[in-house]
Amino acid sequence: MRHERGAERLVARDVEQRQALGAVLTKGGTAIVGPVGVGKTALLCAVAGRLDAARFDVVWTVATRASRQVPFGAFHGLLGGARDRLDETRAYGALHTELARRSGRRTPVLVIDDVHHLDDRCAALALGLAAEGRAKLMVAARGEPGAAMSDAVVALWKDGYLERLDVAQLGLAGTARLLHALVEGEVARGTVDLLHRWTGGNPLLLTQLVRHARASGRLGADGGLWWWRGPRTVPPGLAEVFDHELDGLTSGEQDALAAIALGEPLALPSVEAVACDAVEALEERGLVRTTDGGGQILVRLASPLLAAAVHRKLPRLRRRRIAAALLAADTCPAPDPVVRARWQLEADGPVDTALLIRAAEAARGHDPELACRLARRALPGSSAAAVVLARALVESGDGAQARQVLERAGAEAATVSARLRAGIALAAHVCWVERDPAAAAADLAALGSRASSPAARGAVEGVRALVLLGGGRTSAALEAAERVLRTTVRGPGVAPARLARSVGLVLSGRTRDAVALAEATAADVDSPGELRELALALGCYAQVWGGGAGPALGEAGGGGADPVPGQGRDGAAAPGSGRLGVGGASPFLGVPSASHPASAFLDGLRYWALGDQQEAVARLREAVLRHSGGTRLLRTEATCRLAVCLAEAGRGEDAERALAACPPDAVGLVPGQEQWARAAVAAARGDVPAATAGLRAAAGTARREGCWAVAAECLTYAAWLAPAGPPTDLLDQLALAAGHIDAPRLLAGARAAFALARGSGTELLEHAVRLDGLGMRAPAWRLAERAVVVLRAHGRRHGDAVVLATRLRGGQGASAPPVRLDVLTARELEIASLAAAGLADRAISDRLDVSVRTVESHLARVYRKLGVRSRRDLPSVLRA
């Protein structure tokens, strides 16, 4: 029979297709082995669809559990009604005869899906066909540990009759490609990460989840990107799959599974306190997995989606009973506060108000709905819950109700401290949510004047420092922060004051001092959200500018400093590396998860620093959309940096549209950034005078606030625009700014501007090498190109410049894209595979019954399509 799925388009399996097709064309066939849902059947279909129908006759059959109970049941369509009267010898002859009759002069290809379900007699027939070699075989088998199958099936690949191809779950890149194909559009990186984590990269789960999410509105497009909205759900089709796996569980096993779903990962003693001796049985069934962590055994569900399926079937009373049992279990260490707080909600008994408040603050960024539930439950026991509830409401998109909650909390406050807390939170709301830092600063100044104690004044002044920073008033923010730190040793105002001073130091170019202070502050910024995002913003800018000290500005040459310890050759931690290293100090801030609002902005800045404009634009576009709701702390930064990146890429109109679609507002940490963005747009239009004037104005705005790092960056940008070299007065301003900073990237860029003015070819080349070493590839390329012209008559140095310029021009050393399967025809791939195996042209012609000239012409086309020079290159290319 013909399989109807052959027309489906397989995504992200190019290498596997190439290997499987090569095995069928040049060997006895292939055995595709992998877990459920990885796309084994789709891969069989894709390979079968690539076979030339004039040369191969493809016959399909599918083995099932039911077919094992019927004599030769899997080959029912080939043996007909007489199969009940056949023994194995006659059945083999009948099978061979039927395949020969169907194929005629073509080569028969027998495809057996789910070959692990073959009974011993059918497996023996399949093994006989493979051993005799009169038919090609393509089989797919489930590859989970402990999957039972006939010895004859295992012998298909163990004895070398078929080439085994193990197919794994998709990686993150494969998941992104599949999602792009499913929605026919670009998917936000955070959504890709989220769905990859939920499904483990399983194509079946991904496909079902995306189709259900699109129909239910969980997955939708916004601003040209597809986003996941709301909690994870289980599509009906997958629910049936999971329901089948959950059938037959004992009551104890159901309790254990429910306990894990309510709090995974759980320590084994916690699960056993609910249901003793059930985990082992669940692990044998593949429903849970255990790992070692912190000196104990942790238990998780086999799939995150299984947790949603268990929740869906969990009755209210069972949920309540199990949550109460988990709370009563005296286990060490204690579970995560969010998990324990959820148990308290589920148990519907007495609650720990302080725990609920901590959990609500921790959950509001990734699950604002849960944070609202926790905060509302804690509100009767503590007025402090009102602040957390308001923040959670903001994250869920209800800023108006959040303001009402804070105003009511202030009006109903029974103590001076509660009234002060509500007033500070309301002022912060006015700044970050309502985007009015001037009004917020005024409110805080009035509030501070009424404060009756130094601690209360410190609490107000610390938040006021952050609000001033958010309004672009860096100098005033630093003064306020330093005033708090001089007069207050501990209290709620110390953390925001330290953080405000850290960010101010970064903007002023004193990155080493900023990092030292931020490391001392890191332990204090784990709860208030605006502090956490500001800390991440600090890490972003310190990361981009590099930290640490460099050679003096006026030094000729570019030997330069070594890359920052802990970073790569490019002077920046690779995107996704998980840590930030700055100025040789130990890493101090963890990179946020993909779901964190600041993560896209951070990644965009990193890619921009590495010279990867395309990826930087993609990530910054996502950052702009992420900051369209919630506190929107980095909204202006994301918009302006996106416009700069688009303009640098020559997409001036796109940059203008980005600024118009999400215009910068009153909240912005970086003084002069909107002027810089609009200057970059002018430069993209070719209006260099307007661009230079805008950059000078931006530098002046930054300089008035003491933000020397920003001023140096703007002036360096302007210096590169001057066609005849930067003017003297601009270089004087740049030298003044550079004298205040210690960041290697900024200093390297400034020195490059001076090298352009001096015009020495050797110096240009040395600076290009240094910039390349710091990851500043775009300016390095421009310097190298200039050096090529200046050093034209200088022998070896000219050759060095040409080599560097050529490498940087050709994609900055990016690796070549993988060869796609559809580049070659089936015949070309067959000949290429035989040539890669070492066969000479004459041997290939004899095997395929074609002329040597035909083989040569096919190989010539193969070399051209794959970009190789000879058959010696084919093995590595075909294995790629």
Side-chain angles (χ1 to χ4, degrees):
M1 61 180 175
R2 244 333 145 176
H3 202 288
E4 298 300 325
R5 292 184 58 186
E8 288 191 4
R9 183 160 61 97
L10 188 65
V11 177
R13 294 294 191 195
D14 297 331
V15 173
E16 291 88 344
Q17 283 190 66
R18 186 162 55 248
Q19 293 175 340
L21 184 57
V24 174
L25 294 175
T26 62
K27 300 178 182 178
T30 184
I32 299 170
V33 183
V36 174
V38 294
K40 300 186 295 296
T41 301
L43 186 55
L44 286 176
C45 294
V47 175
R50 296 279 296 170
L51 295 173
D52 185 355
R55 297 182 56 227
F56 297 98
D57 178 62
V58 180
V59 179
W60 279 83
T61 189
V62 179
T64 64
R65 289 189 181 94
S67 69
R68 296 174 64 95
Q69 312 305 318
V70 180
F72 303 108
F75 296 134
H76 167 77
L78 295 172
L79 299 178
R83 67 186 187 281
D84 295 338
R85 302 187 298 273
L86 297 177
D87 57 20
E88 290 183 11
T89 302
R90 292 179 179 177
Y92 178 78
L95 178 60
H96 186 275
T97 301
E98 178 61 16
L99 289 174
R101 184 190 68 78
R102 290 174 179 238
S103 60
R105 300 185 63 181
R106 296 176 295 171
T107 300
V109 179
L110 178 60
V111 182
I112 309 175
D113 200 4
D114 287 340
V115 70
H116 52 277
H117 285 318
L118 286 183
D119 61 88
D120 289 340
R121 289 186 294 178
C122 286
L125 295 186
L127 181 60
L129 286 175
E132 190 171 312
R134 294 187 183 182
K136 306 275 190 178
L137 262 68
M138 292 170 54
V139 304
R142 186 177 299 180
E144 286 100 340
M149 63 183 75
S150 170
D151 291 343
V153 170
V154 176
L156 288 172
W157 56 82
K158 182 174 70 70
D159 294 343
Y161 298 114
L162 305 182
E163 182 175 302
R164 173 168 171 155
L165 175 61
D166 288 286
V167 182
Q169 313 283 19
L170 295 176
L172 194 59
T175 297
R177 286 183 59 192
L178 178 55
L179 290 173
H180 185 280
L182 290 172
V183 302
E184 298 181 345
E186 186 176 352
V187 182
R189 182 67 56 86
T191 296
V192 173
D193 292 340
L194 192 69
L195 297 183
H196 179 73
R197 187 166 65 250
W198 284 356
T199 63
N202 185 289
L204 173 63
L205 299 184
L206 272 169
T207 302
Q208 293 278 0
L209 188 59
V210 167
R211 289 173 178 169
H212 172 70
R214 291 187 67 178
S216 62
R218 292 290 189 194
L219 189 65
D222 184 10
L225 288 176
W226 287 81
W227 295 81
W228 182 274
R229 302 181 178 94
R232 63 186 173 210
T233 56
V234 179
L238 289 182
E240 295 171 2
V241 173
F242 288 126
D243 289 347
H244 177 74
E245 293 187 10
L246 300 177
D247 287 344
L249 295 180
T250 67
S251 178
E253 290 167 352
Q254 292 179 32
D255 283 353
L257 205 61
I260 300 167
L262 287 174
E264 63 176 328
L266 275 183
L268 183 59
S270 297
V271 185
E272 292 180 334
V274 175
C276 188
D277 300 330
V279 173
E280 185 175 341
L282 292 174
E283 188 176 30
E284 289 176 355
R285 293 189 57 159
L287 295 174
V288 304
R289 54 190 176 90
T290 57
T291 56
D292 293 328
Q296 60 184 341
I297 298 177
L298 300 178
V299 187
R300 305 173 188 267
L301 295 179
S303 165
L305 286 180
L306 179 57
V310 172
H311 274 287
R312 188 178 65 89
K313 296 189 65 175
L314 192 57
R316 174 72 183 118
L317 290 180
R318 183 190 289 268
R319 184 193 300 266
R320 181 178 180 179
R321 173 173 58 81
I322 291 174
L326 288 168
L327 286 170
D330 185 16
T331 59
C332 186
D336 179 88
V338 176
V339 172
R340 191 166 184 84
R342 290 182 63 178
W343 291 347
Q344 291 190 359
L345 290 184
E346 300 290 357
D348 199 20
V351 296
D352 180 344
T353 300
L355 172 67
L356 293 186
I357 292 174
R358 291 200 310 273
E361 184 61 49
R364 70 180 178 86
H366 65 274
D367 194 345
E369 181 180 343
L370 173 62
C372 287
R373 289 177 59 205
L374 293 169
R376 290 187 192 279
R377 184 67 178 84
L379 197 55
S382 172
S383 60
V387 175
V388 182
L389 174 59
R391 288 172 174 162
L393 287 168
V394 167
E395 293 299 330
S396 64
D398 196 345
Q401 187 181 354
R403 183 181 181 108
Q404 292 174 8
V405 167
L406 292 172
E407 289 175 340
R408 186 166 56 250
E412 298 175 354
T415 64
V416 173
S417 62
R419 192 158 48 249
L420 180 69
R421 181 171 54 241
I424 292 174
L426 182 58
H429 179 91
V430 169
C431 178
W432 310 119
V433 181
E434 298 179 1
R435 315 302 283 176
D436 193 349
D443 291 344
L444 287 167
L447 196 62
S449 67
R450 298 193 300 268
S452 58
S453 68
R457 285 192 293 273
V460 173
E461 196 71 356
V463 175
R464 182 170 171 269
L466 289 179
V467 167
L468 291 169
L469 195 67
R473 299 173 59 187
T474 313
S475 296
L478 278 171
E479 291 177 5
E482 288 168 353
R483 190 159 50 245
V484 172
L485 296 177
R486 281 197 308 269
T487 60
T488 309
V489 177
R490 61 182 58 185
V494 172
R498 281 180 177 171
L499 190 53
R501 186 166 186 269
S502 297
V503 177
L505 290 173
V506 169
L507 296 175
S508 66
R510 296 160 59 189
T511 51
R512 283 189 167 177
D513 293 341
V515 168
L517 184 59
E519 287 178 327
T521 313
D524 297 327
V525 295
D526 57 351
S527 53
E530 61 271 15
L531 297 191
R532 180 60 179 163
E533 278 207 62
L534 277 171
L536 292 166
L538 164 67
C540 292
Y541 280 97
Q543 165 78 12
V544 170
W545 288 331
L553 176 64
E555 287 183 5
D562 294 331
V564 178
Q567 298 173 352
R569 179 179 175 272
D570 297 327
S577 62
R579 302 294 291 174
L580 291 173
V582 182
S586 59
F588 70 97
L589 288 175
V591 174
S593 68
S595 61
H596 195 285
S599 65
F601 178 63
L602 184 148
D603 278 347
L605 282 182
R606 284 173 158 180
Y607 282 114
W608 176 78
L610 291 172
D612 188 342
Q613 288 177 330
Q614 181 177 354
E615 189 65 24
V617 165
R619 300 298 285 134
L620 289 170
R621 280 181 56 219
E622 184 174 334
V624 171
L625 289 172
R626 284 196 182 188
H627 285 85
S628 61
T631 56
R632 299 177 290 170
L633 176 78
L634 302 176
R635 177 181 180 274
T636 298
E637 281 70 22
T639 299
C640 291
R641 188 65 67 164
L642 173 62
V644 170
C645 286
L646 288 168
E648 286 182 340
R651 298 166 59 184
E653 293 183 0
D654 290 339
E656 288 185 274
R657 281 193 289 269
L659 289 171
C662 187
D665 57 29
V667 177
L669 301 177
V670 183
Q673 60 184 329
E674 183 178 358
Q675 295 166 300
W676 180 15
R678 298 198 182 281
V681 172
R685 291 198 306 263
D687 190 349
V688 175
T692 303
L695 288 164
R696 285 177 180 265
T701 300
R703 187 171 57 248
R704 284 191 293 274
E705 292 297 334
C707 297
W708 294 104
V710 182
E713 194 169 23
C714 292
L715 292 169
T716 301
Y717 201 105
W720 281 96
L721 296 178
T728 302
D729 68 320
L730 190 147
L731 291 177
D732 290 342
Q733 295 177 31
L734 179 57
L736 176 65
H740 290 80
I741 62 179
D742 62 12
R745 277 199 179 94
L746 290 182
L747 289 173
R751 288 197 304 273
F754 278 84
L756 283 172
R758 287 190 286 265
S760 166
T762 301
E763 187 179 354
L764 288 169
L765 177 59
E766 290 174 345
H767 277 289
V769 171
R770 172 165 164 71
L771 291 176
D772 181 37
L774 287 171
M776 303 167 68
R777 297 184 182 120
W781 167 62
R782 294 175 64 181
L783 282 180
E785 292 281 6
R786 189 77 62 89
V788 168
V789 175
V790 176
L791 292 171
R792 186 163 293 163
H794 288 73
R796 184 181 66 82
R797 298 299 286 169
H798 177 259
D800 293 342
V802 170
V803 170
L804 179 61
T806 302
R807 178 173 63 79
L808 293 172
R809 187 190 309 118
Q812 290 90 41
S815 59
V819 177
R820 294 185 60 85
L821 179 63
D822 53 14
V823 169
L824 305 180
T825 66
R827 175 63 88 177
E828 287 169 349
L829 181 58
E830 183 177 19
I831 291 175
S833 299
L834 293 172
L839 274 68
D841 291 352
R842 170 62 66 183
I844 296 174
S845 71
D846 292 342
R847 173 173 292 198
L848 300 181
D849 195 22
V850 296
S851 68
V852 174
R853 182 177 295 276
T854 298
V855 173
E856 292 172 345
S857 63
H858 276 300
L859 283 176
R861 287 194 293 272
V862 167
Y863 299 155
R864 184 175 65 255
K865 289 181 178 181
L866 299 185
V868 300
R869 295 183 177 181
S870 69
R871 68 200 313 129
R872 289 194 301 271
D873 300 322
L874 289 176
S876 60
V877 173
L878 294 178
R879 285 196 301 267

